[in-house]
Amino acid sequence: MTDFYMRPLDMKNGAVDLTHGAGGRATAQLIHDVFGRHFTNAWLDEGHDGALLPPMTRPVAVSCDGHVVRPLFFPGGDIGRLSVAGTVNDVAMCGARPLYLTASFILEEGFPLKDLDAVVASMAKTCEEAGVAIVTGDTKVVERGHGDGVYIAISGIGEKISEGTISGRAARPGDAVLISGTMGDHGTAILSFREGMSFGTTVESDCAPLNEMVEAVLSAAPHVHVLRDPTRGGLAATLNEIASQSNVGILLEESTVPVRPEVRSACEFLGLDPLYVANEGKMIVIVPEDEADAALAAMRASPYGENAARIGRVTDDSDVPVGMVEMVTLMGGRRTESRLVAAAQPVSVSTPLGVKSDV
C-alpha cells in the first residue's frame, strides 16, 4: 500500500474541506504538508497537543490575540504576518522578550490550500525575524459561508527584561511622549486596497515585529514608564487610554506627529483623522525627560523606527485636564483628541480599521 504521506496535498489546485478538520488522515496530512513543513522546531515536532517549555528565571509575560482582516493579503503584509507581529508586539510592550507562540486556525471549507500555505509561510518568516517559535497549535474547519477564509488566534509567552514597571498606569507629569514612526499606515492600506482606491501611490501596511526595537530602547533608557502599540483606534485612542489609566493629561504638538503625505491625502479624501487610524508596526514610548533623547536615538537606529519623533509631553491638571489628550494645532490653538465611540465611526470603515478581534 502506498504510504499516506507519499501522496502530498495538491497545493496548487486543492482546497480545505471538512475532512481536514475531522481529526483523521486528512487532518494529519494537512498538518504534515503545511503546518509541520513551515513551523518545524523541537517543541512542535514532538507532536503533542501542548508543549513543555524550558523554565524561566524572570517574570513571565503573556498575551493573546484574535486576528481577522479583509483582504487576507494586502500591500505590506498578510494575515499571517499580522498575527505573529501583533502578538509579538503585545508581549514586547510589557517590557518582555517574546519567546514562544501558540497558533489556532479557524479555516473555512473551500479556502485554497495555496493561500493557506502562503499565510503559514509568512508566519514562519515573521517568527524567524522576531526570534520566536510556534510551539503548539490547533486547527478547526467550519462550513462554507461560516468564516472568512481563515481566522488566526495567537497566544504569546515571554520573559520580562525591563527592571522597572512598564504600564499604562505609570506615565508621570514631565515625561516625554515619543512615537516610533508615521501614523495610520496600516488602516489606510487595508481600506484603500479593499475598496480599490488609489491615491497616486500604493499605501503599504507598517505590519512588523518590534521586539528588537523595544530591547534597544530599554537598554538605552532603562526607566521607560509606558510602552504601547497604537493598533485599533490609533494614536489618539491609545493615548486617551494611557491618560485615563495614569490620571494625567497629555499634550501633543500637531507639527511633530509624523504622517506620510499619501496617508494624509487618503484620510482627507475618506474623511478620517490619521491619529485614529490603526497601526500594526509602531509603538508609543513614554519616558522620563532625561532619557528621552537616548530612547529616540535607539528607535531611529532600527529599520522600523527611522521616522521616530518626540510628539508631546505628559502634564498635570494645571495644563491638560486629567484623563484628557489635547493637541496644539498648526495654527497655535488647542483641540481635544477624544476617544471615539465605535458607533460614531462609519460602518464601512470600522471593520478594516479594526483588523483584530482581541478584547
Side-chain angles (χ1 to χ4, degrees):
M1 181 181 292
T2 303
D3 185 80
F4 174 71
Y5 292 129
M6 295 302 290
R7 297 181 285 109
L9 293 173
D10 182 357
M11 301 303 298
K12 182 177 180 180
N13 301 304
V16 172
D17 62 46
L18 294 177
T19 64
H20 289 127
R25 282 194 165 190
T27 301
Q29 187 175 33
L30 183 71
I31 293 171
H32 178 273
D33 287 6
V34 180
F35 301 107
R37 181 162 58 90
H38 291 294
F39 291 158
T40 180
N41 57 65
W43 299 282
L44 197 64
D45 293 349
E46 286 290 327
H48 294 313
D49 282 340
L52 188 63
L53 303 175
M56 297 186 189
T57 58
R58 295 179 63 82
V60 176
V62 180
S63 181
C64 65
D65 247 333
H67 298 270
V68 299
V69 65
R70 184 164 57 90
L72 298 175
F73 300 90
F74 47 82
D78 55 75
I79 192 172
R81 180 169 177 81
L82 176 68
S83 65
V84 171
T87 306
V88 162
N89 292 346
D90 285 346
V91 173
M93 297 305 137
C94 296
R97 177 180 293 124
L99 297 170
Y100 311 109
L101 304 180
T102 72
S104 180
F105 295 81
I106 308 298
L107 305 175
E108 183 182 13
E109 179 188 13
F111 186 54
L113 288 173
K114 62 181 177 58
D115 288 347
L116 177 60
D117 190 68
V119 167
V120 174
S122 179
M123 292 176 71
K125 183 177 179 181
T126 309
C127 283
E128 182 178 6
E129 178 185 353
V132 299
I134 293 177
V135 297
T136 188
D138 185 47
T139 303
K140 295 291 188 294
V141 179
V142 298
E143 294 87 348
R144 191 184 305 268
H146 288 241
D148 200 13
V150 58
Y151 301 147
I152 305 175
I154 304 282
S155 290
I157 301 171
E159 190 171 33
K160 187 174 184 287
I161 57 175
S162 61
E163 295 303 324
T165 298
I166 293 178
S167 168
R169 302 180 183 276
R172 298 291 179 265
D175 286 352
V177 179
L178 316 178
I179 193 72
S180 65
T182 52
M183 294 290 94
D185 295 354
H186 177 75
T188 305
I190 295 294
L191 182 59
S192 59
F193 186 73
R194 193 186 80 168
E195 303 299 334
M197 292 181 288
S198 175
F199 299 96
T201 184
T202 300
V203 179
E204 291 197 355
S205 168
D206 58 351
C207 181
L210 303 178
N211 49 318
E212 287 191 4
M213 188 194 303
V214 168
E215 292 203 33
V217 168
L218 292 176
S219 177
H223 299 101
V224 167
H225 288 157
V226 182
L227 294 171
R228 194 66 63 83
D229 51 339
T231 53
R232 289 183 299 176
L235 177 66
T238 307
L239 288 179
N240 268 277
E241 183 177 289
I242 294 168
S244 178
Q245 291 177 339
S246 294
N247 292 314
V248 297
I250 295 178
L251 184 63
L252 305 177
E253 293 281 345
E254 186 174 18
S255 62
T256 64
V257 179
V259 179
R260 297 186 189 279
E262 59 269 31
V263 170
R264 190 179 301 280
S265 296
C267 286
E268 287 177 356
F269 178 81
L270 296 167
L272 301 175
D273 184 337
L275 269 64
Y276 292 90
V277 176
N279 310 275
E280 286 293 346
K282 302 294 170 20
M283 69 175 181
I284 297 165
V285 180
I286 297 181
V287 61
E289 175 60 38
D290 60 358
E291 294 184 3
D293 288 343
L296 193 60
M299 282 193 285
R300 287 175 174 169
S302 166
Y304 297 128
E306 295 174 343
N307 295 306
R310 182 194 299 247
I311 61 171
R313 57 185 173 84
V314 179
T315 74
D316 57 26
D317 192 48
S318 65
D319 198 346
V320 177
V322 166
M324 301 291 288
V325 177
E326 292 187 357
M327 174 86 78
V328 177
T329 68
L330 296 176
M331 301 298 293
R334 283 199 188 190
R335 71 168 182 261
T336 299
E337 299 292 336
S338 302
R339 183 184 296 186
L340 293 180
V341 177
Q345 300 183 48
V347 173
S348 63
V349 172
S350 60
T351 298
L353 296 190
V355 305
K356 297 201 303 183
S357 58
D358 54 315
V359 295

